[in-house]
Amino acid sequence: MFSGLLLAAAAPIASAPLIPFDVLAKAPAISAAVVSPDGTRVATIETVDGRGAVHVGPLGGPRRLVLRNPERSIDNVRWSADGRWLLVLQDSGGDEGYHLFHIDPDAPDRAQDLTPFAGANAEIILTPAGQAGPLLLAINRRDPEYADVYALGPEAGTLREVLRNDAGYTEFFADASGEIRAAGRITPDGSLELWGRMQGGGEFVRLYTAPTAERFKILGIHADGRSVIVRSNRDGDVERALLIGLADGKLRRLKGGDCGRFDLDDILQDAAGPIAAACTRIASDLAPLAPGFAEAVGKARQIAQKDSLSLESRSADGQVTLFYTDAGHRPGRFVLVRGGKASVFAETRPELAAYAFAPTEPFRLRARDGLPLLGYVTRPLGSRNAGPTIVAVHGGPWTRDAATFERETQFYANRGYTVIQVNFRGSTGLGNRVFDAGVGEFGRRMSDDVDDAVRHAVRKGWADPARVCIMCRSYGGFAALTGISRAGGFAYRCAVDFAGPADLETLVRAFPPSWQPFLPRSWYRFVGNPDRPEDVARMRERSPLPRAGSMRAPLLIFQ
């Protein structure tokens, strides 16, 4: 969102040449690239007339358009396990009711809706690469809150129910043979239960229960079919990978399944087992767990150097790998590794190659109560003095900022603004101490942390305290509304709110039925349950809407 135009007239121009707005605002030329299972072809999402569209072609040759929607961008594509079909999930008009479409790469611009159920949402159940047999889907066509599992033959479009979800499971996990082996369920008190069963069917048994205070996520079935890979902070402050036996529920550490002082993001694996731990430290990174993948990462690093690095896609035999890399000052690139050599497969924004961008640097501070926080500062090229500043508050709030290329940040920096970002309490990825410090702190200490980051920037000489604007979207919009309306906060010069909730009670009551099972572990815990009078009173107190008359600065709203 390029709302910096609100202040552009008052901002000094940085020493770097001005980057035209329409150049930075342009959609990426390519936003996704997925290698076929046999490693010979690639499917991509590329921009056509401002919308993301599916293209396909040989890995080293030209690609052609095979599917576009003139009304909405397509933002995902994957291959069927046999490489015969392309699969796309898309909703209608933003209703979050996703349908699964398949495309024959040899029959351009024709797609068949494989889940034509009004009001239902289809989700592909992720399984290891190389799965044989029908595709497994979770679809809530019978019950809006809980999905059942269906097997789908993409070629014939036939759908059959394979698991009736009468137990209220919220997620399912399949092994390499395409059999559901584990499921997750959230109890009314917010505990997350892991249920599993042995190969060949049979009843599910409860293997593990994580209370609300334990951060716990099921990642998938180990390639050997004998255990479930999860991440948990059970053994300390940060989340690490654990293996939970399907036969006996016994726990053990996954060797190499951690990210040091940061939370683990994911464990990547192929048909033989885990190949890497995915981490976000200062930026995204990969810690290889298998020699072959370590070699591919090493080759990619010859191009990516110290920039972020993540896995984009890989052939079934692991001989062809696509990585994604970027940095705060460098737009994204896809790096191809095959035949022992690395090359740039595609630039996401080739039109930006002629411009210089400001570096994004990490900084650390302690909040007023001593909580350690990680933030980022992006200063205009050539800047030496305190200048006008934007504090950009990330959404979620259960996500985090990292050193990645952001067009909005570079737009502001190019026009003379310093941009401050901070992973306030309640952000993920930085350990349980930071995460749990956000419980019950919407509109209070979470906003204190943002104010403290601004004051830190003032002390460092980065920010002019008389010219600071707070802005962003979703939770960031809520923080902007809160920042200019609560008593005792920083004196912001202005605020910009994009799709930020102004009333917490209304927000939580409006969540769709499919979200309801997850609320005890998230929104009810952090914000409150609107069915409890004592929680409602707190939610109203923390909401910006009742304080609208107290707002102390100009406000721009995009809703």
Side-chain angles (χ1 to χ4, degrees):
M1 181 182 72
F2 297 101
S3 314
L5 289 173
L6 177 68
L7 304 178
I13 300 300
S15 59
L18 198 68
I19 305 173
F21 171 82
D22 58 353
V23 174
L24 264 177
K26 188 177 180 181
I30 177 172
S31 58
V34 187
V35 177
S36 64
D38 65 3
T40 63
R41 293 176 294 169
V42 63
T44 57
I45 302 293
E46 302 182 34
T47 299
V48 177
D49 296 331
R51 308 284 188 193
V54 180
H55 293 66
V56 70
L59 189 58
R63 301 179 295 276
R64 71 183 191 284
L65 175 68
V66 294
L67 182 68
R68 65 184 295 262
N69 181 343
E71 304 299 325
R72 290 177 60 76
S73 282
I74 300 170
D75 61 9
N76 67 94
V77 65
R78 71 185 72 199
W79 293 91
S80 61
D82 61 3
R84 175 68 180 84
W85 304 94
L86 292 171
L87 305 169
V88 168
L89 286 166
Q90 192 170 42
D91 67 348
S92 176
D95 64 1
E96 298 190 22
Y98 285 86
H99 290 208
L100 179 68
F101 297 84
H102 80 161
I103 313 162
D104 182 346
D106 298 322
D109 211 25
R110 289 207 317 239
Q112 178 184 353
D113 187 351
L114 300 177
T115 58
F117 312 120
N121 180 67
E123 180 181 348
I124 296 175
I125 297 173
L126 299 180
T127 54
Q131 175 192 315
L135 189 70
L136 294 179
L137 302 176
I139 309 175
N140 63 341
R141 61 184 294 199
R142 182 180 61 88
D143 184 335
E145 287 193 28
Y146 298 102
D148 301 312
V149 179
Y150 295 82
L152 174 71
E155 185 159 356
T158 56
L159 195 70
R160 60 183 175 86
E161 183 182 294
V162 296
L163 193 153
R164 174 65 63 96
N165 184 13
D166 294 322
Y169 298 122
T170 55
E171 53 189 342
F172 299 93
F173 300 88
D175 63 16
S177 69
E179 182 180 340
I180 297 294
R181 300 289 305 283
R185 182 170 70 181
I186 298 176
T187 64
D189 70 355
S191 297
L192 199 162
E193 298 177 338
L194 168 63
W195 292 71
R197 64 182 180 181
M198 297 301 294
Q199 198 166 23
E203 296 296 320
F204 282 93
V205 297
R206 186 169 54 202
L207 301 174
Y208 189 84
T209 300
T212 54
E214 178 182 348
R215 290 179 298 127
F216 183 90
K217 181 174 177 58
I218 307 166
L219 300 179
I221 307 298
H222 193 286
D224 64 13
R226 296 195 295 266
S227 58
V228 183
I229 305 175
V230 304
R231 74 177 194 222
S232 168
N233 69 324
R234 171 189 174 97
D235 297 329
D237 184 58
V238 298
E239 295 179 62
R240 299 180 174 90
L242 300 175
L243 298 175
I244 300 180
L246 283 161
D248 52 17
K250 287 186 177 180
L251 277 72
R252 68 184 192 278
R253 286 267 192 97
L254 175 64
K255 186 178 179 181
D258 69 89
C259 298
R261 294 183 296 132
F262 296 87
D263 292 330
L264 171 76
D265 291 339
D266 200 1
I267 293 294
L268 311 178
Q269 60 173 341
D270 61 15
I275 60 172
C279 306
T280 304
R281 298 182 176 97
I282 301 303
S284 58
D285 197 6
L286 295 167
L289 301 176
F293 191 68
E295 182 179 351
V297 169
K299 296 295 183 183
R301 279 285 174 211
Q302 294 174 3
I303 293 175
Q305 299 294 313
K306 295 182 179 180
D307 293 354
S308 75
L309 190 69
S310 58
L311 177 64
E312 179 74 5
S313 66
R314 199 165 183 242
S315 62
D317 62 6
Q319 297 303 302
V320 179
T321 307
L322 274 172
F323 296 93
Y324 176 81
T325 179
D326 73 353
H329 65 294
R330 196 182 342 269
R333 297 177 288 175
F334 294 102
V335 175
L336 172 66
V337 177
R338 63 172 172 174
K341 296 181 180 180
S343 61
V344 175
F345 172 75
E347 301 275 356
T348 61
R349 303 179 188 277
E351 68 278 3
L352 299 181
Y355 299 99
F357 295 99
T360 297
E361 302 291 346
F363 66 86
R364 295 186 181 275
L365 75 151
R366 288 195 176 273
R368 63 191 68 180
D369 63 354
L371 186 71
L373 302 175
L374 171 66
Y376 298 87
V377 57
T378 305
R379 305 187 71 192
L381 288 172
S383 174
R384 293 293 180 267
N385 302 316
T389 297
I390 292 169
V391 54
V393 185
H394 71 66
W398 302 297
T399 180
R400 59 159 291 183
D401 284 316
T404 187
F405 184 81
E406 296 180 0
R407 291 178 298 160
E408 295 93 334
T409 296
Q410 293 299 332
F411 176 79
Y412 303 134
N414 181 248
R415 279 150 175 78
Y417 293 92
T418 291
V419 179
I420 301 296
Q421 299 166 276
V422 63
N423 290 305
F424 48 84
R425 69 193 63 211
S427 299
T428 57
L430 303 168
N432 192 60
R433 183 182 177 191
V434 172
F435 181 76
D436 260 13
V439 174
E441 297 298 339
F442 268 59
R444 292 185 61 196
R445 290 184 179 179
M446 291 166 73
S447 289
D448 287 347
D449 293 346
V450 176
D451 290 354
D452 289 349
V454 174
R455 293 187 174 102
H456 177 83
V458 171
R459 290 193 299 270
K460 287 287 189 180
W462 303 333
D464 177 351
R467 293 185 292 169
V468 181
C469 182
I470 181 171
M471 64 184 298
C472 226
R473 66 197 74 196
S474 185
Y475 173 83
F478 170 85
L481 296 172
T482 299
I484 63 169
S485 64
R486 70 186 190 123
F490 186 85
Y492 293 102
R493 181 72 173 270
C494 66
V496 180
D497 156 34
F498 177 48
D503 184 272
L504 293 173
E505 179 189 1
T506 301
L507 171 72
V508 178
R509 288 193 186 280
F511 289 143
S514 59
W515 288 31
Q516 299 305 313
F518 302 94
L519 298 182
R521 198 170 176 87
S522 56
W523 288 93
Y524 289 174
R525 181 171 181 243
F526 275 77
V527 179
N529 183 340
D531 293 329
R532 298 176 57 184
E534 62 271 28
D535 288 3
V536 169
R538 185 176 68 252
M539 295 163 83
R540 290 174 179 171
E541 176 195 352
R542 307 285 175 79
S543 295
L545 186 59
R547 301 192 300 270
S550 303
M551 290 183 174
R552 305 179 298 274
L555 169 66
L556 179 63
I557 297 176
F558 293 83
Q559 189 70 30

